[in-house]
């Protein structure tokens, strides 16, 4: 009996393995599997970490003694800019995204993330963007305006070289990757948890990642907008940030920190999630105050968007406004304190098993609490005026980032290492690594607080002897090298463990979460069968779960159809709703990212025709991508006897695609709101703001275009509703008509732009209007193209009465386009008229 | 030879640390009311937060070493609640209120509000890559990388920039304020006593950033009048 | 939705507070000599108190909703956390609004 079962399970595993395997050889580049890609993200991030660390060592060498000229000011400026850029954008965020990509499906009992091709695309965008930025360093033309690129130091006049362009284009490329990951993680966590895993019983790590992903969705668009605007200013001379044309350099600071501060928490939250995951395991008790922790994570996510001005206390903003931001900055200490005390309470109630990951968490506690406290100090405006832009801030930032991120990540490394290699790391080397790193870190940065208080500003490449800074700097440099030794020790440890580490037992730490129910190392499909859960700690409450899952005794244990499948569940309760059919290996993500790289490089070389070609190529590839989705009949032919209880998602009305669309539109909305913010900011606060005497945009054609758009939208809505009700009669014709009307609307809008007497290179006012009109045009065009594709698909039978899913996925995009149109009308045309400008 | 190279900086370090917190740019050796207030805030927060750090880390270590009560039950729940409410809510909120109680008046005092009697002396400073240009309105006096001012009276420094963003900072007198193209910011300076104080650019402004220093010469009010008179005639 | 409603209100209030202050200062800056007793601070104060009251009311509503969520652990979880979110947002509004008492607005 058991033999037969085992044989069946073995066959099942083999079959799943075939369906889920990456292509052999070079075909690995077409992989879309989250385990593979999560690892690639993390390894790439680690390499960038070493590069960033190397730059730091060079800088500490230059600063070790006063009045040295080892690398000189120019190179030093490139190095600190690149150190910050690499560490923030190419190491910290991507490696945490990689961790989430690797772990989340395993923790929530899914076989893969919900948009696997998007994972691959995100990885390639990150890789290519990172390489482009790195290229500038190798060529000696790296950006040198500091990692927050303040204008006008970074604008064409004061940074004529290509350094800033490398930064702006490369970082935007990398941010596309982050946005893709943010959307994907949000939808995966909400919609693909295994049966019975409700919001209140999902692992606490998933809460952290959910909030982080949503913060990426809302936090990155301001910087993307700022980068686009600055790049346009540099390339075409539109004065968004130049005072002479009515722009304002402070706008850049607002947009940058509107991203920059949430970014700190985007980095901290997943790391704190690691701590909240590990501590209960080592204490052998559930996390105390799960609800409190959820509450504080959500609160942190919100409040962190209200702090950005605390990076700008010295730019001369009214003191009362500074006080608001000051208090908000201090308030964010409350949710953090709640978490720290929840961890203490958990340790209090448990019997603690001492181990290397826990040691790193201990280091995290000391360093991070210290950094948090100096953060509260910095939030106090009068004190901030003294230490802002000094080495005190450098020290604080490293305490927060290294303490709040690197220590937990290294704890995570040692904790999950057996998961990805199947072997345990050595104890002795690991302890050496920790102590060298911990001592070196504190030697470098604890002293740096004092250096800053004694008045040493940041970003100086050298300093006079005898100012009281000499000894402190020397010790900091020595400490930096000790820390480097610690990192080397850890690398050796990890490398050796692959060869000499002893075999890891199943669930070596006696953890409670599902990721330890996979085989070690995990199979690409994670689980043979997906269980129905009733508890927050599945592996503690049902110790035999891994075996029964591997034996195929739970849901979705079939591979006869040869599809990659995972379960789609209700966002709140985790009730099964549909089976999500996931795409298999694909070259499209790689090709799409390559096309974008062509765009990026052509823009760098100012070869605009080539850039245009790249855009067209990318658009074609993306449309091809959207064509070959789960509804494609080759992938999943529509049968007559489809099951009603758990349909494929392409047969449903509320599949993950719709959620992905809505989350992407939230991000898009954040981008638009940033533009709106820029408009209102410049209007009220820019010192040289000028409004042209005559209104440049013709109102009547604009209104006509709007009326037409409203009609188009209503028609589309009706067509979609009728298709859902099963009436697909004439659907294709209707879609063609809608597309035609859409084209007319687009033409009208284009004519408005053509006809408008804008002087975008002279007036910031007109420059912003131009960007707004282009934004509307792009959206209208995209909506029309996607509708044409729908009409074609109706012809092929991919969309119809039984398959209305795609129409519903596209609908929010039409609604969004319409909403943005009228909002723009109100904010950019109507409001200024009411204000009495024109 | 190498030995000498290594021991020399070490000796400097020991000397430096025995001199305490001095140094021409040290915020911990204040020579004006604004810098004094900031230094006072620093020492206060340093003391308070050291206690907090020791308390939290100590509690954490104790929690790790402690053996859980076998009885458990209600008692544990109460301890948990106490930890979460006391440590998570009360401790940070109380610290914030204490900080604000000291911080808001300190910040208020540093603002360039009109003084109770008389008027503040106005000095215009223009930042350039990479030097500071000082004007005394109504006198025609123009200086480079120097500011001259009287002791004991409020001085308003009106800051702007010709090119990129700079930041005007005299650590021993007051906090820093940015000089931004197109904007004018007003920094209140006040020195206790005559002397020479050093200032520097604090916002990264390009290749010459590390060498963008200036000096502030503070006189008695009488000496300042005499200096201003003489400077006007020099032109 | 209850999970984030309170914080969304906090965020909107915060934007209005900051934006209102900037616009107020741009259009009709009150005299510095008045200190913190002027029309702008008064408006901001009323806004703050109103927002706190609203959040407390919503929190109370949420708490009352406990009864209806009887048995459904999911709903109960959301309701509990929601009520706490409202309460915390109210505290945040009040604390952030505190400086309105002490500082003149436009300098």
């Amino acid at each position: 009996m058991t033999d037969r079962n085992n044989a069946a399970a073995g066959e099942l595993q083999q079959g799943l393995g075939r369906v889920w395997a990456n292509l052999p050889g070079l075909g690995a580049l077409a992989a879309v599997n989250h385990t593979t890609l999560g690892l690639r993200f993390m390894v790439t991030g680690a390499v960038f970490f070493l590069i960033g660390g190397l730059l730091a060592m060079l800088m500490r060498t230059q600063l070790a003694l006063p009045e040295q000229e080892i690398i000189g000011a120019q190179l030093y400026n490139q190095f600190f800019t690149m150190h910050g850029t690499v560490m923030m954008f190419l190491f910290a965020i991507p490696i945490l995204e990689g961790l989430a990509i690797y772990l989340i499906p395993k923790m929530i009992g899914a076989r893969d993330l919900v948009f696997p091709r998007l994972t691959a695309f995100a990885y390639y965008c990150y890789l290519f963007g990172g390489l482009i930025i790195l290229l500038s360093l190798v060529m000696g033309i790296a950006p040198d305006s500091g990692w927050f690129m303040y204008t006008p130091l970074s604008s064409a006049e004061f940074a004529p070289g290509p350094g800033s362009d490398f930064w702006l284009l490369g970082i935007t490329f990398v941010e596309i990757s982050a946005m893709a990951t943010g959307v994907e993680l949000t939808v995966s966590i909400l919609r693909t948890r295994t049966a019975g895993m409700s919001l209140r019983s999902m692992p606490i790590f998933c809460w952290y990642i959910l909030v982080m992903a949503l913060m990426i969705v809302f936090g990155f668009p301001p910087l993307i907008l700022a980068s686009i605007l600055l790049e346009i200013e540099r390339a075409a001379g539109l004065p968004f940030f130049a005072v002479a044309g009515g722009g304002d350099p402070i706008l850049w600071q607002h947009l940058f920190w509107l991203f920059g501060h949430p970014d700190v928490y985007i980095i901290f939250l997943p790391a704190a999630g690691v701590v909240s995951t590990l501590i209960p395991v080592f204490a052998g008790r559930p996390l105390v105050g799960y609800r409190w922790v959820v509450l504080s994570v959500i609160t942190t996510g919100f409040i962190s968007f209200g702090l950005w001005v605390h990076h700008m206390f010295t730019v001369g903003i009214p003191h009362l406004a500074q006080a608001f931001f000051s208090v908000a900055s201090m308030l964010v200490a409350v949710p953090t304190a709640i978490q720290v005390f929840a961890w203490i309470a958990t340790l209090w109630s448990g019997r603690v098993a001492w181990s290397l990951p826990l040691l790193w968490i201990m280091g995290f506690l000391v360093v991070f609490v210290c950094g948090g406290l100096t953060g509260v100090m910095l939030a106090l405006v009068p004190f901030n005026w003294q230490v802002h832009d000094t080495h005190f801030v450098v020290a604080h930032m490293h305490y927060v980032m290294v303490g709040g991120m690197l220590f937990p990540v290294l704890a995570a490394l040692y904790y999950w290492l057996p998961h990805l290699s199947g072997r345990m790391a050595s104890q002795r080397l690991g302890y050496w690594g920790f102590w060298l790193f911990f001592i070196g870190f504190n030697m470098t940065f604890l002293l740096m607080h004092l250096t800053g208080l004694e008045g040493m500003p940041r970003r100086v490449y050298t300093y006079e002897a005898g100012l009281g800074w000499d000894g402190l700097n020397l010790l900091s440099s020595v400490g930096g090298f000790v820390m480097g030794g610690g990192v080397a020790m850890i690398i050796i440890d990890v490398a050796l463990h692959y060869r000499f580490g002893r075999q890891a037992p199943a669930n070596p730490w006696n953890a409670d979460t599902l990721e330890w129910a996979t085989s070690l190392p995990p199979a690409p499909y994670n689980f043979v069968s997906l269980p129905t859960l009733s508890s927050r700690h599945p592996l503690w409450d049902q110790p035999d779960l891994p075996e029964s899952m591997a034996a195929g005794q739970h849901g979705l244990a079939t591979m006869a159809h040869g599809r990659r499948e995972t379960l789609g569940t209700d966002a709140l309760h985790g009730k099964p709703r549909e089976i999500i059919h996931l795409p298999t290996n694909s070259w499209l993500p790689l090709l799409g990212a390559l096309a974008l790289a062509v765009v990026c490089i052509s823009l760098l070389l100012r070869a605009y025709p080539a850039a245009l070609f790249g855009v067209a190529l990318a658009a074609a590839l993306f449309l091809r991508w959207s064509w070959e989705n789960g509804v494609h009949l080759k992938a999943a032919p529509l049968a007559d006897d489809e099951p009603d209880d758990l349909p494929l998602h392409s047969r449903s009305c509320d599949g993950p695609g719709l959620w992905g669309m809505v989350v992407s539109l939230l991000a898009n909305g954040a981008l638009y709101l940033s533009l709106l913010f820029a408009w209102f900011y410049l209007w009220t606060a820019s010192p040289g703001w000028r409004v042209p005497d005559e209104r440049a945009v013709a109102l009547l054609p604009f209104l006509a275009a709007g009326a037409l758009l409203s009609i188009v939208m209503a028609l589309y809505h009706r067509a979609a509703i009728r298709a859902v009700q099963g009436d697909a009669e004439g659907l294709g014709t209707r879609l063609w008509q809608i597309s035609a009307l859409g084209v007319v609307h687009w033409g009208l809008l284009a004519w408005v732009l053509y006809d408008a007497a804008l002087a975008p290179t002279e007036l910031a006012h007109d420059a912003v209007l131009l960007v707004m009109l282009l934004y509307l045009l792009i959206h209208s065009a995209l909506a029309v193209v996607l509708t044409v594709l729908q009409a074609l698909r109706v012809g092929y039978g991919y969309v119809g009465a039984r398959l209305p899913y795609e129409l519903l996925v596209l609908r929010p995009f039409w609604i969004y386009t319409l909403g943005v149109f009228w909002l723009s009308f109100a904010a950019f045309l109507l409001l200024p008229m009411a204000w009495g400008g024109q | 030879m190498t030995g000498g190279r290594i021991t020399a900086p070490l000796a400097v370090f020991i000397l430096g640390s025995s001199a305490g917190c001095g140094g021409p740019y040290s915020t911990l050796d204040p020579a004006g009311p604004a810098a004094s207030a900031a230094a006072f805030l620093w020492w206060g927060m340093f003391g308070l937060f050291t206690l907090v750090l020791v308390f939290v880390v100590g509690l954490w270590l104790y929690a790790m070493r402690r053996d859980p009560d076998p009885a458990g039950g209600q008692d544990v729940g109460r301890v948990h609640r106490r930890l979460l409410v006391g440590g998570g809510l009360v401790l940070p909120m109380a610290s914030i209120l204490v900080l604000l109680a000291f911080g808001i008046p300190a910040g208020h005092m540093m603002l360039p509000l009109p003084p109770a009697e008389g008027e503040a002396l106005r000095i215009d400073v223009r930042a350039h890559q990479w030097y500071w240009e000082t004007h005394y309105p109504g006198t025609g006096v123009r200086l480079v990388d120097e500011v001259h001012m009287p002791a004991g009276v409020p001085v308003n420094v009106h800051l702007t920039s010709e090119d990129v963003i700079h930041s005007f900072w005299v650590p021993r007198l007051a906090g820093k304020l940015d000089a931004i193209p197109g904007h004018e910011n007003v920094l209140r300076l006040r020195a206790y006593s005559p002397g020479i104080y050093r200032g520097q650019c604090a916002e990264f402004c390009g290749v010459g950033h590390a060498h963008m220093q200036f000096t502030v010469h503070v006189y008695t009010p009488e000496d300042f009048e005499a200096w201003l008179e003489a400077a006007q005639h020099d032109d | 939705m209850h999970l984030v409603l309170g914080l969304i209100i906090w965020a909107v209030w915060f934007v209005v507070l900051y934006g209102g202050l900037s616009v107020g200062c741009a259009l009709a800056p009150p005299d510095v000599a008045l200190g913190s007793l002027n029309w702008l601070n008064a408006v901001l104060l009323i806004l703050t108190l109103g927002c706190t009251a609203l959040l407390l009311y919503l929190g109370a509503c949420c708490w009352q909703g406990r009864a209806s969520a009887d048995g459904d652990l999911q709903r109960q979880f959301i309701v509990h956390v929601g009520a706490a979110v409202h309460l915390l947002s109210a505290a945040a509004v009040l604390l952030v609004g505190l400086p309105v008492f002490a500082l003149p607005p436009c300098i």
Side-chain angles (χ1 to χ4, degrees):
Chain A
M1 185 68 198
T2 39
D3 277 349
R4 185 131 46 95
N5 277 352
N6 280 345
E11 204 176 308
L12 196 58
Q13 285 175 15
Q14 266 181 7
L16 280 170
R18 259 197 316 279
V19 171
W20 284 84
N22 298 335
L23 299 175
L26 266 185
L29 295 178
V32 295
N33 182 265
H34 77 104
T35 300
T36 311
L37 287 159
L39 284 173
R40 283 186 197 166
F41 257 103
M42 289 191 275
V43 170
T44 314
V47 171
F48 278 119
F49 169 71
L50 295 180
I51 294 169
L54 196 68
L55 291 173
M57 311 265 266
L58 288 170
M59 290 188 319
R60 274 327 312 177
T61 312
Q62 163 69 24
L63 286 182
L65 300 173
E67 294 163 34
Q68 291 198 110
E69 288 285 346
I70 301 173
I71 48 181
Q74 245 149 5
L75 217 50
Y76 186 84
N77 294 349
Q78 293 187 12
F79 284 1
F80 76 68
T81 303
M82 287 299 285
H83 171 71
T85 306
V86 167
M87 287 303 199
M88 294 298 269
F89 293 101
L90 304 181
F91 162 63
I93 301 171
I95 206 165
L96 291 167
E97 287 166 1
L99 187 69
I101 287 171
Y102 181 87
L103 282 178
I104 285 295
K106 300 183 178 75
M107 278 191 170
I108 60 177
R111 291 217 176 109
D112 202 340
L113 289 168
V114 71
F115 307 125
R117 292 182 296 184
L118 201 57
T119 326
F121 177 66
Y123 175 71
Y124 287 120
C125 282
Y126 160 50
L127 181 67
F128 295 153
L131 286 179
I132 287 173
I133 296 173
L134 216 54
L135 185 69
S136 72
L137 186 66
V138 176
M139 290 163 61
I141 47 170
D144 58 358
S145 316
W147 77 271
F148 31 84
M149 281 277 142
Y150 275 3
T151 54
L153 188 60
S154 60
S155 52
E157 187 181 354
F158 299 101
S164 300
D165 301 321
F166 271 100
W167 194 93
L168 295 167
L169 293 166
I171 290 299
T172 305
F173 210 178
V174 175
E175 286 184 332
I176 294 173
S177 147
M179 301 291 304
T181 317
V183 172
E184 168 157 72
L185 287 171
T186 306
V187 180
S188 295
I189 293 174
L190 288 177
R191 290 291 270 108
T192 64
R193 301 191 304 266
T194 192
M197 186 185 276
S198 59
L199 269 189
R200 67 178 275 280
S201 63
M202 83 184 176
I204 192 74
F205 186 72
C206 300
W207 273 105
Y208 281 95
I209 297 297
L210 180 62
V211 173
M212 164 194 112
L214 283 170
M215 286 179 72
I216 290 180
V217 166
F218 289 107
F220 275 55
L223 181 58
I224 294 183
L225 178 80
S227 301
I228 293 173
L229 294 186
L230 184 53
E231 187 53 36
I232 295 177
E233 177 179 305
R234 287 177 56 86
L238 272 58
F240 299 105
F241 307 106
V243 179
D248 189 0
I250 303 302
L251 173 63
W252 170 269
Q253 300 192 14
H254 278 292
L255 289 173
F256 185 90
W257 290 117
L258 209 51
F259 144 84
H261 204 83
D263 181 51
V264 174
Y265 289 90
I266 288 170
I267 293 170
F268 167 64
L269 282 181
V274 168
V275 178
S276 286
T277 307
L278 266 57
I279 284 184
V281 171
F282 289 108
R285 285 288 149 85
L287 180 67
V288 171
Y290 180 88
R291 270 185 288 184
W292 285 76
V293 175
V294 170
L295 171 75
S296 62
V297 174
I298 296 176
T299 314
T300 307
F302 268 86
I303 294 189
S304 64
F305 280 90
L307 314 179
W308 78 93
V309 167
H310 78 208
H311 298 265
M312 303 165 58
F313 280 159
T314 65
V315 301
I317 287 165
H319 190 60
L320 182 57
Q322 297 191 14
F324 297 149
F325 286 99
S326 164
V327 180
S329 311
M330 293 178 182
L331 272 185
V332 88
V334 173
T336 313
I338 291 178
Q339 290 171 62
V340 170
F341 280 88
W343 297 328
I344 290 181
T346 309
L347 292 170
W348 193 279
S349 60
R351 194 181 298 273
V352 179
W354 192 247
S355 70
L356 192 53
L358 199 59
L359 189 62
W360 280 102
I361 293 212
M362 195 63 218
F364 150 80
L365 175 85
V366 176
V367 173
F368 178 73
V369 170
C370 196
L373 291 171
T374 54
V376 177
M377 292 183 186
L378 281 168
L380 196 65
V381 180
F383 179 66
N384 181 289
W385 284 338
Q386 272 291 16
V387 291
H388 176 75
D389 267 337
T390 66
H391 271 73
F392 188 90
V393 172
V394 179
H396 156 72
M397 188 181 72
H398 284 87
Y399 263 80
V400 174
M401 303 310 307
V402 176
M405 182 263 168
L406 194 58
F407 276 81
V409 161
L410 286 166
L413 173 73
Y414 278 108
Y415 178 75
W416 278 296
L417 202 54
H419 192 275
L420 45 98
S421 72
R423 290 171 183 274
M424 306 295 282
S426 105
Q427 290 289 309
R428 193 178 298 163
L429 269 175
Y431 279 104
W432 269 97
F434 172 81
W435 285 110
L436 280 177
F437 191 90
F438 185 76
I439 292 168
F441 173 82
N442 283 295
M443 190 168 158
T444 309
F445 292 107
L446 193 64
L447 295 175
M448 212 179 265
H449 288 107
L450 192 57
T451 324
L453 283 168
E454 294 200 356
M456 181 162 168
R458 69 196 285 196
R459 302 178 165 183
V460 292
Y461 79 100
T462 188
Y463 51 94
E464 232 175 282
L467 298 176
W469 307 341
D470 313 9
L472 293 170
N473 271 300
L474 182 66
L475 282 178
S476 280
S477 293
V478 174
F481 282 88
V482 174
M483 192 164 42
V487 172
M489 213 55 98
I490 294 162
I491 293 172
I492 295 172
D493 189 16
V494 172
L496 288 183
H497 111 285
Y498 273 95
R499 204 175 147 75
F500 301 110
R502 70 188 158 80
Q503 208 67 38
N507 197 356
W509 312 106
N510 190 22
D512 59 335
T513 39
L514 268 186
E515 82 271 21
W516 292 103
T518 65
S519 57
L520 303 184
Y525 49 84
N526 292 341
F527 309 109
V528 175
S529 60
L530 307 182
T532 302
L533 300 181
S534 56
S535 127
R536 201 179 278 161
H537 313 285
L539 296 200
W540 284 350
D541 299 339
Q542 296 162 263
D544 56 344
L545 198 59
E547 282 134 52
S548 62
M549 283 167 74
Q553 293 170 10
H554 302 272
L556 283 195
T558 161
M559 35 64 64
H561 44 60
R563 290 192 292 259
R564 295 189 179 190
E565 285 184 344
T566 193
L567 197 61
T569 47
D570 164 57
L572 185 61
H573 293 86
K575 287 191 189 114
R577 307 241 326 230
E578 72 263 297
I579 293 172
I580 296 174
H581 168 200
L582 300 169
T584 181
N585 297 318
S586 164
W587 291 96
L588 285 168
L590 174 61
L591 295 176
L594 273 176
L596 285 188
V598 169
V599 177
C600 192
I601 291 171
S602 325
L603 288 176
L604 276 175
L605 299 173
R606 314 232 151 161
Y608 297 118
L612 222 53
F613 168 75
V615 170
L617 189 67
L621 285 164
F622 292 138
L623 293 178
R624 180 74 206 156
W625 173 336
S626 77
W627 188 263
E628 281 188 17
N629 61 17
V631 191
H632 205 288
L633 289 193
K634 252 193 311 190
L638 194 61
D640 288 332
D641 56 338
E642 298 223 357
D644 284 337
D645 54 338
L646 268 189
L648 275 181
H649 77 275
S650 48
R651 277 66 158 158
S652 73
C653 292
D654 177 28
L658 182 68
W659 288 66
M661 172 61 88
V662 170
V663 178
S664 312
L665 288 177
L666 286 177
N668 196 345
L671 186 79
Y672 180 78
L673 283 182
S674 311
L675 183 67
L676 217 54
F677 170 83
W679 171 252
F680 286 128
Y681 176 83
L682 287 177
W683 193 285
T684 51
S686 175
W689 181 252
R690 276 172 293 139
V691 179
D693 301 331
E694 300 211 340
R695 190 180 53 247
V697 178
L699 271 192
L700 268 181
F702 193 84
L703 280 174
L708 207 51
L709 182 63
S710 309
I711 294 169
V712 171
M713 160 62 213
L715 287 176
Y716 185 88
H717 180 72
R718 230 184 50 186
I721 294 291
R722 281 171 73 171
V724 172
Q725 287 164 353
D727 173 16
E729 195 63 29
L731 181 63
T733 328
R734 273 201 293 278
L735 287 174
W736 282 116
Q737 286 164 353
I738 290 168
S739 310
L741 277 179
V743 170
V744 177
H745 151 74
W746 190 85
L748 255 176
L749 196 57
W751 187 78
V752 169
L753 176 62
Y754 176 74
D755 176 62
L758 294 173
T761 52
E762 277 150 41
L763 284 183
H765 176 274
D766 287 5
V768 179
L769 274 185
L770 178 68
V771 171
M772 181 274 288
L773 286 172
L774 287 174
Y775 183 86
L776 294 184
L777 274 172
I778 290 172
H779 279 77
S780 295
L782 195 57
V784 171
V785 170
L786 292 175
T787 308
V788 168
L789 285 186
Q790 286 300 303
L792 284 174
R793 290 173 78 85
V794 171
Y796 282 97
Y798 299 165
V799 175
R802 287 176 67 196
L803 299 165
Y805 173 64
E806 291 185 9
L807 290 170
L808 297 174
V809 172
L810 186 55
R811 187 171 55 168
F813 191 82
W814 272 110
I815 299 176
Y816 177 82
T817 307
L818 184 72
V820 168
F821 187 93
W822 288 118
L823 193 57
S824 303
F825 175 68
F828 288 87
L829 299 176
L830 218 51
L831 203 62
M833 270 155 66
W835 204 300
Q838 293 153 343
Chain B
M1 184 59 210
T2 31
R5 239 185 238 162
I6 293 166
T7 47
L10 273 182
V12 172
F13 171 68
I14 291 158
L15 279 177
S17 51
S18 62
C21 307
Y25 293 109
S26 179
T27 63
L28 302 179
D29 181 18
S36 293
F40 169 76
L41 286 177
W42 155 249
W43 288 116
M45 290 192 292
F46 177 63
L48 178 66
F49 285 168
T50 308
L51 287 180
V52 172
L53 180 69
V54 169
F55 170 70
V56 172
V57 174
L59 198 63
W60 178 290
L61 285 175
Y62 175 72
M64 285 199 3
R65 307 209 126 205
R66 174 180 178 281
D67 274 329
D69 310 319
Q74 233 174 359
D75 220 26
V76 176
R78 204 161 61 224
V79 171
H80 288 169
R81 255 196 305 286
R82 258 187 218 159
L83 279 172
L84 283 171
V85 174
L89 291 175
V90 177
L91 178 72
M93 294 259 194
S95 311
I96 291 173
L97 285 177
V98 171
L99 243 57
L100 290 178
F102 286 96
I104 289 185
H108 194 226
M109 181 269 276
M110 295 180 190
L111 293 178
L113 297 168
E117 51 196 81
E119 261 190 40
L121 172 72
R122 172 175 173 153
I123 302 175
D124 289 348
V125 172
R126 259 171 195 283
H128 299 256
Q129 275 181 329
W130 290 275
Y131 63 94
W132 304 89
E133 186 189 347
T134 314
H135 289 274
Y136 290 79
T139 65
V141 175
R142 175 185 176 275
L143 303 167
V144 169
D145 285 344
E146 280 178 35
V147 176
H148 294 246
M149 60 179 251
V153 296
V155 175
N156 283 349
V157 181
H158 291 241
L159 290 162
T160 188
S161 167
E162 276 300 293
D163 37 52
V164 302
I165 300 175
H166 303 266
S167 191
F168 180 95
W169 187 31
V170 190
R172 294 189 59 203
L173 295 186
K176 60 183 71 61
L177 195 60
D178 290 356
I180 303 163
H183 292 252
E184 184 176 277
N185 283 333
V186 182
L187 175 70
R188 169 65 54 87
L189 279 188
R190 191 171 178 153
Y192 288 133
S193 54
I196 294 180
Y197 304 96
R198 293 178 66 173
Q200 57 191 341
C201 176
E203 179 65 60
F204 177 64
C205 56
V207 175
H209 172 58
H211 300 297
M212 195 168 155
Q213 283 100 4
F214 59 96
T215 47
V216 179
H217 300 256
V218 179
Y219 306 96
T220 60
E222 302 78 46
D223 288 354
F224 176 73
E225 287 305 324
W227 169 84
L228 195 60
E229 197 69 20
Q232 267 169 298
H233 289 296
D234 277 352
D235 282 341
Chain C
M1 197 59 203
H2 282 300
L3 283 183
V4 290
L5 183 64
L7 287 161
I8 290 177
I9 294 177
W10 177 83
V12 171
W13 166 81
F14 193 76
V15 169
V16 171
L17 187 73
Y18 177 52
L21 176 67
S22 309
V23 172
C25 283
L27 290 181
D31 190 1
V32 173
L34 289 175
S36 59
L37 304 168
N38 59 66
W39 69 270
L40 192 53
N41 280 41
V43 170
L44 296 179
L45 186 64
I46 291 167
L47 198 70
T48 303
L49 294 179
C51 198
T52 313
L54 175 69
L55 283 167
L56 287 177
Y57 171 73
L58 287 174
C61 285
C62 225
W63 195 242
Q64 306 260 300
R66 238 173 0 147
S68 72
D70 238 6
D72 187 346
L73 284 173
Q74 272 328 299
R75 292 277 307 277
Q76 225 168 36
F77 172 74
I78 302 283
V79 163
H80 280 169
V81 176
V85 164
H86 283 110
L87 199 66
L88 217 64
S89 310
V93 165
L94 207 58
L95 271 174
V96 173
L98 212 57
V100 172
F101 285 107
L103 291 170
C106 298
I107 190 157

